[in-house]
Structures are given as C-alpha cells and as structure tokens.
Amino acid sequence: MIDICDLYKSFNGQEVLRGVSLRIERGELLALIGMSGYGKSVLLKHIIGLMKPDQGQVFIDQQDICQLKGKGLEDMRTRFGFLFQGGALFDSLTVFENVAFPLREKTAMKEAEIEARVLFELEQVGMAGAENKNPAELSGGMKKRVALARALVMDPEIMLFDEPTTGLDPVTTSLIQRFIRQCHERLGFTGMIVTHEIPKIFEIVDRVALLNQGRIAEVGTPDQIRKSTRPEVAQFISGATEGPIEWQ
Amino acid sequence: MILETLRELGQYSLSLLRAAGGMVVFLGTTVFWAFIPPFRLRQIIRRISFIGVKSTLIIILTGAFTGMALGLQLFYTLRRFGAESMLGPAIALSLLRELGPVLSALMVTGRAGSALAAEIGIMRLSEQIDALEAMAINPYRYLMVPSLIAGMIAFPLMTCIFNVVGIYGGYLVGVKMLGLGPGVYWVEMEHLVDLRDITDGLYKSVSFGVIVTWVCSYKGFFTGYGAEGVSKATTEAVVLSSVLILAWDYFLSSLMV
C-alpha cells in the first residue's frame, strides 16, 4: 500500500532523512517512534506529498506521490486523513464548521446529511455539545479530538497521525488511542502513528518502526520490538540516557 | 577586498531578484486560480468585511481630517491670489485624483493588510495551510483568490467613502468656519470636476487593492518561524505595500495626466 524507498531530505544542509525505506501493508496500523527532531513528522509529510524529497520515492499503490502534481495530487490526497500535531483547526470556524469543512468542500452531500455526519463524528470523539465553540475555547485535548473527528469524517483509506496524544493526560491519551484502534477496526484504514507513547502504543498497533539517525533502525511487531536486542531499540524503549542514540 | 564586496553585492542582487520572481509567480498563480470555478462567494464576502467593513471607521476619521486640513490650508493659500472660490474644486480634485486613493490605501494597509499578513502567517505556522493541502484544497483558491478579489472591491469602496467624507470635511472648514459661500463651494466643484477625475482615482484604488492583498498574502504565506517570523512578515508586508502604493501611484499619475 505505502512503499517508502530510500528517502533523503535535508534542510539548510542538515540531513534529516538519510535513506528511509519502509513498507506499510494495506489495513496495517504502524507506529513510528524515534527521538524528537529526528524527522518523524517530516517523513509523515512526505507520505502525503506536503514535502518533496531530495531523493527517493513514496509509492501509494504503485503511484509515486512525489511525482504527482495538480489534479493527480489532489485526487491522491482525498484518500488521506491527517491529524496534525497541534490539531490545525481553522481559527475562524466553529467546531462544527471545522468538522463539516471537508464534507462541504469535497462532497455533494446535503446540509442535513452533513449535519448528521458531523454530529456522529463529534459524539464518537466525546465532543458532542461543543459544536458552536471556537477552537480558541478548547483545551489541547479537546482540539485533538475535534481534529481527529475532522480527519476521519471523510472515511479515509490512509490515516496519518502526527503525535495524536502528545501533551495529554494519561486518561485522555488512553481514550484517544482506544478510539484510534476502534476507528481502525471500523474503517479498516491503513495507518501510521508518530508517537512517543511507549509502551502504551504497543497495545493498539500491528507493527512498530524506530527511526534513528535518519534511517529506519528496526521494524517489527510490538513483541519483537520489546524483545529486540539492538542497543538503540532497547535504549529508546527503556529511556536510558546512555547508549548508541545520540541526543541532537 | 573588492572581489569580496562585489560577490556580496551580486549575492544580494540575486536574492532580491529571486524574491521578486517568487512574488510574481505567487501573483500569477493567484490570478490563474481566480478564473477557475467554483467561485467562493462566501469567502469573498468574508474578506470584503475583513478588509473593507472593518476599516470604515478609520477611513471616515482619516477622510474627515484630511478634508478639513486641506480646506484650511487651501483657503488661505487661494486667498492670496483672490481665488477662494476655487476651494471646492481644489479640495475635490486633490482628493479624487490623489489623496483619496493613496491615503485610504495606506490606512487600509495599516489596518487590514497587516492583519491579513499576520493571519495567513499564523495559519502557516499552526499548520492550517498544510491542513488545507492535506484535505486536497488548494490554498491559493481558498485563501488568496478571495483576498485578491475582496481587495479589488473593498479598496475603491473605501476610497469613495474617504472622498465623500473628505469633501464634506473641506466644506465644514471652508464654508461653516471660514465663511465661504456654500453655493460657490459646490457650483465651482461641479464645473471643474470631470467624471474622469473620479474614475481615474478609482482605477488607482483597484490597483492598490491588488498590490496590498498580493504583498500581504505573500509575506504571510512565506512567513519565518515563530512570533518573530510573523512579526517580521507583517512589518515587511506593510512597508513594502506602502512603498509600492506610492511608487505605483506616481507611475499611474504620470500616465493619467
């Protein structure tokens, strides 16, 4: 489904991705872990074509998204849902308008259908009753939940989550993770979650990949990652300050 | 030493050229998408409100005081030549052809242009523009085109308000305070002001609307990082828009004379 081949990206001469290769199968939910500032979000943005690589390809069903432009890229992106780190809700729109936004823009649904759909999604994320609030009135966790509802409202084939639970309390974190798993089972999307929630995330994903020094250091099931003998994996999971992972 | 200076000069010129090229491409892309349906009427109306309606008070105040200052200065200047009767047309022509379009554009730049640059800049930093793209929505069509069209509509409307209020400001000072006959003020104005004086000023203000929305959107769209980046983008947007307004005004005036 998603095939990342030898991806390189640098910013102002600083190499962030140095030959990332990773394959995600259809319907799989994969967690991408790694140190902060090591390019996890950058990799996510390459998958949806928000960034262009210096070198390498990202194939979505054998189509290289890096080569797509105009209508082709637009069509490809309609298959995606993306949950941004800060939610990226539109300040000028209410919660309801934010969630309704992709439906109004990209479908021919009638207003009554849109309303029913938006209310359903908001209820799913526990935000029923907040339709008329502005994003500025919401807490960080509430913003993430509304953003999640917006990302899922189009029933995407591919879902990308950029740190969906960072900065949230443990209860909300568990609720959001459980909700992501439920949505994955319900919608069957192919998903990638950038996260630091270790080991909690191991409970909901099919596989885990560790990004280190601009490359994928290890990929495996949560059990394989837990038992991995690779020093960088063991260090990252245990949170030890001494080891092969360099702090940048 | 000389080579070093030349190299720095060359690099500076190249970066200026690159920035200018980027701005032209940005405008070209926006204009291209402006002709492709669907046309976002609701967004355009929102932007007209943002650029125009919310600037009305500042335009009325500026127009009134500009007209009053003109009335005061021109009355005493014209009296030296025994030509006080020319006060009405002098005020009207100054406002309609030059001061109305230029001053109203500068005021709207200060109020709405800076806000536009800051708003788009913050949208960029908080990934709202990325979110638009991720939802397969073209940010040029959604953000830039409505701003450009709204600027082309709102700026002439603001200029009209500025002109009318300014002429009445001049009337207040010249007629009510300094004793010029009201008939003289209006009749001479009617004799000497042509429709072309009005339309030339309005053409100018349409072009100022393009300049301001273009420059401010561009600076916001390509803002730097953090609060400092947005602050710098906003300042640059206002300064560059203001300089371009004055330079473009001179160019158009020389063509319209």
Side-chain angles (χ1 to χ4, degrees):
Chain A
M1 176 88 190
I2 303 174
D3 204 354
I4 303 162
C5 303
D6 207 22
L7 209 65
Y8 284 82
K9 181 72 179 177
S10 57
F11 296 97
N12 299 323
Q14 191 184 343
E15 276 191 317
V16 177
L17 304 179
R18 301 174 195 168
V20 173
S21 292
L22 181 66
R23 192 176 162 76
I24 308 166
E25 300 300 334
R26 187 178 298 277
E28 186 182 28
L29 192 56
L30 180 134
L32 182 67
I33 59 174
M35 292 278 283
S36 295
Y38 270 44
K40 301 185 296 298
S41 300
V42 170
L43 180 59
L44 221 54
K45 287 184 178 177
H46 277 88
I47 296 174
I48 197 171
L50 287 174
M51 283 184 181
K52 298 281 177 201
D54 299 335
Q55 197 184 310
Q57 294 96 30
V58 178
F59 292 102
I60 312 289
D61 288 338
Q62 285 81 49
Q63 238 187 325
D64 185 2
I65 196 166
C66 311
Q67 302 300 325
L68 292 178
K69 283 179 185 166
K71 186 84 171 69
L73 183 59
E74 208 171 280
D75 288 345
M76 178 63 86
R77 281 180 178 157
T78 55
R79 299 171 62 186
F80 281 85
F82 197 119
L83 176 64
F84 286 86
Q85 229 174 79
L89 296 176
F90 301 122
D91 301 325
S92 54
L93 305 181
T94 63
V95 164
F96 181 91
E97 288 168 333
N98 261 288
V99 181
F101 187 80
L103 296 173
R104 283 178 176 156
E105 291 292 329
K106 303 307 282 187
T107 70
M109 281 169 81
K110 290 184 180 142
E111 202 52 35
E113 291 174 284
I114 290 175
E115 190 180 336
R117 186 63 205 266
V118 170
L119 293 179
F120 170 75
E121 290 295 341
L122 285 174
E123 201 183 327
Q124 290 286 302
V125 295
M127 288 298 292
E131 300 87 46
N132 295 320
K133 289 193 167 154
N134 287 315
E137 297 173 73
L138 305 178
S139 68
M142 290 161 101
K143 276 183 194 165
K144 287 249 168 97
R145 283 189 277 161
V146 174
L148 193 54
R150 186 179 69 181
L152 290 165
V153 78
M154 295 282 283
D155 289 344
E157 274 180 68
I158 304 164
M159 261 306 300
L160 305 174
F161 303 88
D162 194 359
E163 301 196 20
T165 53
T166 299
L168 302 181
D169 63 85
V171 177
T172 311
T173 299
S174 299
L175 281 171
I176 287 188
Q177 288 186 350
R178 198 173 65 192
F179 179 68
I180 289 173
R181 186 71 219 180
Q182 283 169 354
C183 288
H184 179 249
E185 282 163 7
R186 179 164 57 95
L187 302 170
F189 55 71
T190 305
M192 187 166 178
I193 309 174
V194 166
T195 183
H196 296 294
E197 296 295 340
I198 298 166
K200 265 186 177 174
I201 197 71
F202 291 171
E203 293 164 21
I204 67 160
V205 295
D206 302 312
R207 281 197 307 155
V208 179
L210 172 71
L211 183 70
N212 187 37
Q213 304 289 333
R215 290 188 189 89
I216 298 295
E218 181 95 333
V219 195
T221 63
D223 261 354
Q224 287 169 334
I225 294 290
R226 273 197 200 98
K227 291 171 189 162
S228 173
T229 51
R230 287 187 71 137
E232 58 263 54
V233 179
Q235 185 198 350
F236 193 77
I237 290 172
S238 67
T241 51
E242 298 295 322
I245 295 179
E246 288 171 21
W247 188 74
Q248 285 185 345
Chain B
M1 179 68 183
I2 295 169
L3 273 177
E4 187 66 26
T5 315
L6 278 175
R7 193 164 62 193
E8 276 176 19
L9 201 67
Q11 274 175 348
Y12 181 69
S13 311
L14 276 176
S15 68
L16 270 184
L17 268 177
R18 207 173 294 128
M23 285 187 71
V24 172
V25 170
F26 183 83
L27 179 64
T29 312
T30 307
V31 170
F32 170 77
W33 286 112
F35 289 98
I36 312 286
F39 303 107
R40 296 170 187 277
L41 199 59
R42 191 187 287 188
Q43 274 292 101
I44 294 170
I45 290 169
R46 256 188 194 173
R47 284 291 176 196
I48 290 174
S49 165
F50 179 75
I51 296 169
V53 178
K54 289 179 179 167
S55 304
T56 312
L57 182 64
I58 194 88
I59 288 297
I60 289 173
L61 283 172
T62 326
F65 286 114
T66 305
M68 287 164 75
L70 268 180
L72 201 64
Q73 292 288 353
L74 286 175
F75 182 84
Y76 289 111
T77 309
L78 290 169
R79 198 162 71 172
R80 289 183 194 178
F81 309 102
E84 300 99 309
S85 59
M86 290 294 115
L87 182 68
I91 289 175
L93 288 172
S94 310
L95 285 170
L96 292 170
R97 297 188 64 92
E98 275 307 322
L99 295 176
V102 173
L103 287 182
S104 60
L106 291 175
M107 294 315 293
V108 177
T109 303
R111 200 215 63 83
S114 56
L116 186 67
E119 186 187 305
I120 294 175
I122 289 167
M123 284 186 80
R124 164 65 75 199
L125 293 184
S126 58
E127 296 183 309
Q128 291 175 52
I129 292 178
D130 283 346
L132 280 175
E133 289 190 72
M135 284 186 256
I137 293 162
N138 185 326
Y140 284 92
R141 290 172 87 166
Y142 186 74
L143 288 174
M144 311 310 159
V145 170
S147 297
L148 187 77
I149 294 172
M152 292 170 72
I153 296 169
F155 271 67
L157 290 176
M158 291 297 105
T159 302
C160 290
I161 294 172
F162 189 100
N163 290 340
V164 170
V165 174
I167 287 169
Y168 273 100
Y171 174 84
L172 183 74
V173 171
V175 177
K176 297 289 178 189
M177 289 166 65
L178 299 173
L180 187 74
V184 177
Y185 188 85
W186 295 118
V187 170
E188 290 299 338
M189 195 187 294
E190 202 181 325
H191 282 160
L192 290 167
V193 175
D194 288 334
L195 182 63
R196 211 189 132 193
D197 297 316
I198 299 169
T199 53
D200 280 358
L202 293 181
Y203 292 145
K204 276 185 182 180
S205 62
V206 171
S207 64
F208 296 156
V210 173
I211 289 172
V212 173
T213 49
W214 164 41
V215 172
C216 295
S217 300
Y218 175 83
K219 289 290 177 186
F221 201 77
F222 295 103
T223 184
Y225 292 105
E228 197 186 343
V230 176
S231 151
K232 192 168 170 248
T234 309
T235 309
E236 283 177 2
V238 172
V239 171
L240 185 59
S241 298
S242 305
V243 171
L244 282 178
I245 284 169
L246 294 170
W248 185 244
D249 175 61
Y250 174 75
F251 177 72
L252 282 186
S253 296
S254 62
L255 290 180
M256 287 171 173
V257 162

